[in-house]
């Protein structure tokens, strides 16, 4: 061996022995590795996941760095970021974008839905829970408690990899097909076996965040010492939707007349403000006649808003509009003049909503959930969620069937009775007031009355406390205010000027008696019988009802004496509009045959006309013999055709008459008709005599 090789051997012999280097940890501190696998048809790659939910202190550090926004929503006292004693609790009140921003700040990301579900199920033996098949209990998860728990407090509930709090504490945001989703249970409710949470997926005191990252990815550390509790700035909510003043009518009720009529659906090219309401397509190019300034032109709106309709003016600068329906419903506040969107509330992010109201400072909506409902308040200035009344087994309601306001308080009729709340703060004022099946509730004029059957009469409550103040005579054998007239009910009662106007139980003919009572003493003031029970409105000096199918009657509110009758052909639904200038208050009647009428008070009483209407029924597909004896309504007059099909009716009326078959009785009903014809409308214009000519007669409706 040469000297050179000997030297090399000697050198190698003197080199110290090196141990094999330990492989680098694939996950950062505070994270563990979850090996991939199959989750149903999906294949999940290996990933690192946070051992615990993100703490309040960790998220607070992100806020301190200016990379995250404060997590506050609804009752901020429930949001941990505002609590100095909750640094080791999970951050809550987190929305999807806030969760994504926090994870991104550290170089992480939100888990996709498959990753989260894969981590939440023990893979050995097909475990139901992260820890296996042992039933859920309070040693393994934080649930059905009064608040969140410190993270890591339930190690018995950890997954095989050591991931904690997957079953409770706060629900966690995931990404499902690029859409946000919440997974897991929370401190407020019991987690379900499939960890599914019902929409809406919105931030609340139960929503938090946990992050994931690919193995061997560098992530930034978090300095937990820099966070301080967030102190929300006190915000004075401006009054942007004060109720429009209710002006007493300038003209007598006897002057009520038809101002406008439309035979087709109203054109939505122009909207006119009428108090707190809006009218569409009523100008006919003559807006000055109505005295309604401030029209909104749909053509001036951005194309994406032209199918929207105005809801309420929000001060002089903003206009609240709505578009869509149910879960696609969207409310948008636009700037007048520029039509720039100031804020919007897309209910696709919340769930279906069917009832809403605008309060002076807030917009309030009922949110329908698969398991429970919620009432949510948004600020009118910025559309931000301010508070939330959540339904639940331990709450004043689980389901909310009706939501409304009296202008001062909000009311919910739910499955556990009636409750009242402050629309500005969401504070519950009172709850648990029982309301019977089919019974109604009426509010307004500083009063609250709950319909009650029986001799004791209706209950008069204090709107501020819900306490009973007394009884009002008039309780019948059963309730009718809360039932549809088709089901034997009547229009809801009305409170106006310290008077209660309410129908009795309809008789067999479907007619009902209307009674007016003093809203405090219950003393009966007057009664009027023979009315249709499905129309009842009141305003200042007038009570509006229906006599016969298509006769609108205006009664004197003080005496019940009829002041005006207007024939609106074919039946109608009626709504009352504030405003309207000298013609106000206005009435909008939507006809069942497609005609719409706008009514207001003219300078002179409406003139009734003596009329004669003639016509002849001509058979088409029916025997000529059947033209005889057909029951024909002409306005409120019922006549029968003669042997040749001719018919004639006389009367005195103002407005419009419908010539129609008696469709309340068909074949098989004694005195019913076996034939039909299309209704004809006659506008009473002073001619006196009206001939509708030949009217084609068809067989009765068949399946």
């Amino acid at each position: 061996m040469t000297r050179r090789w000997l030297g090399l051997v000697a050198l190698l012999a003197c080199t110290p022995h090196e141990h094999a280097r330990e492989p680098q940890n694939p996950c950062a501190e505070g994270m563990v590795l979850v090996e991939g696998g199959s989750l149903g048809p999906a294949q999940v790659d290996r990933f690192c996941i946070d051992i615990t939910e993100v703490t309040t202190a960790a998220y607070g550090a992100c806020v301190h760095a200016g990379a995250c926004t404060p997590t506050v929503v609804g009752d901020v006292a429930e949001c941990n970021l505002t609590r100095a004693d909750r640094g080791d609790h999970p951050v809550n009140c987190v929305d999807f974008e806030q969760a994504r921003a926090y994870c991104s700040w550290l170089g992480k990301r939100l888990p996709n839905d498959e990753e989260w579900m894969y981590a939440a199920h023990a893979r050995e033996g097909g475990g139901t829970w992260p820890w296996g098949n042992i039933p859920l209990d309070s040693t393994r998860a934080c649930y059905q408690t009064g608040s969140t728990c410190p993270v890591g407090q339930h190690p018995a509930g950890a997954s095989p990899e050591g991931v904690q709090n997957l079953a409770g504490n706060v629900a966690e945001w995931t990404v499902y097909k690029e859409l946000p989703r919440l997974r897991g249970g929370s401190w407020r409710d019991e987690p379900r076996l499939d960890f599914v949470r019902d929409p809406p997926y919105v931030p609340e005191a139960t929503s938090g965040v946990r992050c994931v990252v690919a193995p061997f990815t560098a992530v930034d550390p978090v300095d937990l010492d820099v966070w301080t509790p967030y102190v929300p700035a006190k915000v004075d909510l401006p009054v942007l939707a004060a109720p429009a003043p209710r002006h007493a009518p300038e003209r007598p009720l006897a002057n009520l007349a038809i101002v406008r009529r439309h035979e087709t659906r109203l054109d939505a090219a122009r909207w006119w403000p009428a108090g707190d309401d809006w009218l569409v397509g009523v100008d006919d190019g003559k807006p000055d006649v109505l005295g309604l300034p401030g029209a909104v032109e749909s053509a001036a709106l951005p194309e994406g808003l032209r199918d929207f309709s105005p809801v309420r003016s929000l001060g002089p600068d903003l206009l609240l509009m709505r578009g869509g329906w149910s879960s696609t419903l969207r409310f948008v506040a636009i700037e007048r003049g520029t039509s720039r969107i100031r804020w919007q509330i897309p209910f696709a992010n919340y769930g279906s909503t069917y009832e809403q109201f605008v309060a002076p400072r807030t917009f309030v909506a009922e949110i329908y959930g698969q398991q429970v409902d919620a009432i949510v308040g948004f600020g009118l200035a910025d559309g931000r969620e301010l508070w939330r009344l959540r339904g639940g087994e331990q709450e004043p309601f689980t389901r909310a069937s009706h939501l409304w306001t009296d202008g001062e308080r909000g009311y919910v009729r739910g499955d556990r009775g009636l409750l009242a709340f402050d629309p500005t703060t969401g504070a519950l004022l009172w709850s648990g007031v029982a309301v019977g099946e089919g019974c109604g509730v009426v509010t307004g004029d500083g009063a609250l009355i709950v319909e009650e059957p029986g001799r004791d009469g209706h209950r008069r409550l204090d709107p501020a406390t819900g306490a009973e103040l007394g009884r009002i005579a008039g309780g019948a054998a059963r309730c009718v205010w809360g039932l549809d007239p088709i089901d034997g009910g009547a229009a809801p009662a009305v409170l106006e000027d310290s008077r209660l106007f309410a129908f009795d139980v309809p008789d067999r003919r479907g007619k009902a008696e209307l009674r007016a009572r003093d809203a405090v003493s219950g003393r009966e003031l007057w009664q009027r019988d023979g009315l249709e029970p499905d129309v009842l409105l009141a305003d200042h000096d007038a009570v509006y009802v229906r006599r016969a199918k298509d006769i609108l009657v205006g009664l004197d509110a003080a005496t019940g004496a009829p002041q005006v009758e207007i024939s609106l052909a074919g039946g109608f639904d009626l709504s009352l509009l504030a405003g309207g200038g000298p013609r106000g208050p206005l009435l909008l009647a939507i006809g069942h045959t497609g005609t719409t009428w706008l009514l207001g008070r003219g300078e002179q009483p409406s003139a009734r006309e003596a009329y004669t209407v003639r016509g002849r029924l001509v058979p088409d597909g029916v025997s000529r013999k059947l033209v005889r004896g057909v029951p024909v309504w002409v306005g409120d007059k019922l006549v029968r055709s003669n042997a040749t099909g001719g018919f004639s009716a006389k009367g005195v009326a103002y407005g419009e008459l419908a010539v129609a078959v008696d469709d309340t009785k068909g074949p098989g009903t004694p005195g019913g008709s076996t034939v039909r014809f299309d209704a004809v409308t006659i506008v009473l214009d002073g001619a006196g005599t009206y001939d509708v000519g030949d009217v084609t007669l068809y067989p009765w409706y068949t399946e």
Side-chain angles (χ1 to χ4, degrees):
M1 183 177 291
T2 65
R3 185 179 299 273
R4 177 182 176 188
W5 284 109
L6 287 172
L8 180 59
V9 171
L11 180 63
L12 290 174
C14 295
T15 303
H17 175 70
E18 292 186 359
H19 295 284
R21 180 177 297 179
E22 292 291 331
Q24 180 185 0
N25 191 336
C27 299
E29 184 179 355
M31 306 185 82
V32 294
L33 180 68
V34 177
E35 294 288 352
S38 298
L39 183 68
Q43 186 67 29
V44 179
D45 295 332
R46 64 202 304 250
F47 61 95
C48 298
I49 187 169
D50 288 342
I51 295 174
T52 68
E53 296 151 325
V54 174
T55 64
T56 300
Y59 190 92
C62 184
V63 174
H64 178 80
C68 294
T69 57
T71 55
V72 289
V73 65
D75 182 2
V76 297
E78 288 189 323
C79 296
N80 289 341
L81 198 67
T82 66
R83 301 278 299 270
D85 59 342
R86 297 287 176 89
D88 59 349
H89 285 237
V91 66
N92 62 347
C93 303
V94 183
D95 69 27
F96 178 71
E97 294 300 332
Q98 289 172 323
R100 189 154 60 178
Y102 173 83
C103 292
S104 177
W105 177 60
L106 297 177
K108 304 178 183 181
R109 60 175 174 83
L110 287 178
N112 61 48
D113 209 51
E114 291 80 8
E115 289 171 331
W116 195 98
M117 290 296 289
Y118 190 80
H121 287 88
R123 265 103 25 220
E124 296 296 329
T128 299
W129 301 103
W131 56 86
N133 287 316
I134 299 174
L136 174 72
D137 61 47
S138 59
T139 68
R140 301 179 184 277
C142 175
Y143 68 99
Q144 291 183 333
T145 61
S147 68
T148 56
C149 304
V151 301
Q153 196 177 62
H154 298 81
S159 72
E161 294 85 3
V163 184
Q164 300 189 36
N165 303 121
L166 286 163
N169 222 1
V170 290
E172 300 166 19
W173 289 104
T174 69
V175 181
Y176 177 70
K177 296 181 179 179
E178 300 184 0
L179 296 174
R181 174 175 278 186
L182 280 168
R183 284 289 191 181
S186 76
W187 57 269
R188 181 177 277 159
D189 48 45
E190 182 173 346
R192 290 158 56 172
L193 291 176
D194 56 5
F195 292 106
V196 171
R197 292 184 66 84
D198 297 321
Y201 300 125
V202 296
E204 52 184 327
T206 59
S207 60
V209 56
R210 186 192 302 265
C211 306
V212 299
V213 74
F216 302 104
T217 301
V219 299
D220 294 328
V222 180
D223 183 358
L224 301 180
D225 295 329
V226 299
W227 94 281
T228 55
Y230 174 71
V231 180
K234 185 176 180 180
V235 178
D236 292 327
L237 298 176
V239 174
L240 296 179
R246 297 180 60 214
H247 300 293
E250 299 180 21
R251 298 169 179 172
L253 178 57
N255 291 17
L256 188 68
I258 297 173
V259 177
R260 291 283 186 272
R261 72 180 300 274
H262 299 264
E263 294 185 359
T264 58
R265 187 178 70 88
L266 294 179
D267 180 14
R270 183 177 294 107
W271 296 86
W272 296 92
D276 293 334
D277 302 295
W278 291 81
L279 286 170
V280 57
V282 299
D283 58 290
D284 286 344
K286 303 174 183 177
D288 292 339
V289 174
L290 293 174
L292 301 176
V296 173
E297 304 280 349
S298 62
L301 298 173
E303 186 173 354
L305 296 177
R306 290 178 186 172
D307 290 334
F308 281 55
S309 57
V311 175
R312 192 70 175 272
S313 292
L314 304 181
D317 302 323
L318 292 179
L319 176 64
L320 182 63
M321 305 190 74
R322 65 175 288 165
W325 172 252
S326 184
S327 61
T328 66
L329 187 63
R330 188 158 58 111
F331 285 83
V332 178
I334 64 171
E335 296 179 354
R336 288 183 177 271
T338 67
S339 296
R340 186 174 72 87
I341 294 177
R342 181 77 63 85
W343 56 260
Q344 60 180 309
I345 305 171
F347 278 95
N349 295 342
Y350 286 83
S352 299
T353 176
Y354 302 101
E355 296 194 339
Q356 316 86 27
F357 68 76
V358 178
R361 293 177 170 85
T362 56
F363 171 75
V364 180
E366 174 266 339
I367 308 294
Y368 174 81
Q370 293 183 8
Q371 300 295 324
V372 299
D373 297 342
I375 310 299
V376 183
F378 303 86
L380 290 180
D382 54 13
R384 179 174 60 90
E385 181 179 329
L386 301 174
W387 53 261
R388 176 180 293 252
L389 290 175
R390 181 184 174 90
E393 292 300 325
Q394 307 301 318
E395 304 299 334
F397 67 93
T398 296
R399 291 297 189 190
S401 59
H402 188 34
L403 169 72
W404 77 99
T405 181
D406 62 3
E408 184 176 354
R409 286 162 289 269
Y411 298 92
V412 175
R413 181 167 181 178
D415 52 355
R416 297 188 183 93
L418 184 68
L419 65 87
F421 62 91
D422 185 328
T424 301
T425 65
L428 187 67
L429 303 177
W430 48 264
S431 64
V433 172
V435 181
E437 184 70 26
C439 299
V441 179
V442 57
T443 57
D445 202 32
L448 168 61
I449 296 174
V450 178
E451 184 184 18
E452 187 84 13
R455 295 180 179 179
D456 292 339
H458 310 308
R459 286 176 286 153
R460 182 169 59 88
L461 308 182
D462 181 352
T465 66
E468 184 171 318
L469 300 176
R471 294 277 182 156
I472 296 178
R478 62 178 178 85
C479 289
V480 295
W481 302 355
L483 291 176
D484 191 286
I486 296 177
D487 299 321
V494 177
L495 282 165
E496 178 69 21
D497 195 21
S498 298
R499 302 184 185 101
L500 173 68
F501 304 99
F503 282 114
D504 289 347
V505 176
D507 60 24
R508 294 182 178 179
R509 301 173 303 151
K511 303 291 185 178
E513 191 169 51
L514 177 67
R515 298 180 188 272
R517 288 185 169 86
D518 184 282
V520 177
S521 68
R523 179 175 60 89
E524 184 172 310
L525 304 175
W526 54 262
Q527 58 85 20
R528 177 69 53 183
D529 59 10
L531 300 175
E532 302 283 344
D534 58 342
V535 172
L536 177 58
L537 296 174
D539 184 71
H540 288 94
D541 61 343
V543 178
Y544 301 101
V545 293
R546 188 207 311 262
R547 180 185 67 77
K549 182 177 181 179
D550 51 6
I551 307 296
L552 171 65
V553 181
L555 305 176
D556 184 282
T559 65
Q563 301 297 301
V564 63
E565 286 195 357
I566 299 178
S567 180
L568 300 175
F572 56 89
D573 297 315
L574 195 68
S575 58
L576 184 66
L577 307 176
R583 294 179 180 270
L586 301 174
L587 291 171
L588 186 65
I590 308 296
H592 297 167
T593 59
T595 304
T596 299
W597 299 273
L598 181 67
L599 296 91
R601 304 189 185 192
E603 295 181 356
Q604 300 295 328
S606 54
R608 291 162 57 84
E609 174 186 344
Y611 64 83
T612 299
V613 174
R614 301 188 184 94
R616 187 168 71 94
L617 303 179
V618 178
D620 183 1
V622 299
S623 170
R624 185 174 296 276
K625 295 179 181 180
L626 295 180
V627 300
R628 180 174 183 170
V630 176
V632 179
W633 282 103
V634 179
D636 62 342
K637 309 296 182 183
L638 181 63
V639 298
R640 289 186 177 270
S641 57
N642 59 28
T644 62
F647 61 87
S648 177
K650 294 184 178 182
V652 178
Y654 166 80
E656 302 179 14
L657 305 176
V659 179
V661 69
D662 182 10
D663 58 5
T664 62
K665 297 180 179 180
T669 304
S673 177
T674 59
V675 291
R676 64 180 179 86
F677 60 86
D678 296 331
V680 179
T681 298
I682 297 173
V683 178
L684 299 177
D685 58 8
T689 300
Y690 303 87
D691 193 333
V692 299
D694 292 345
V695 179
T696 304
L697 199 64
Y698 306 102
W700 191 261
Y701 301 97
T702 58
E703 295 294 336

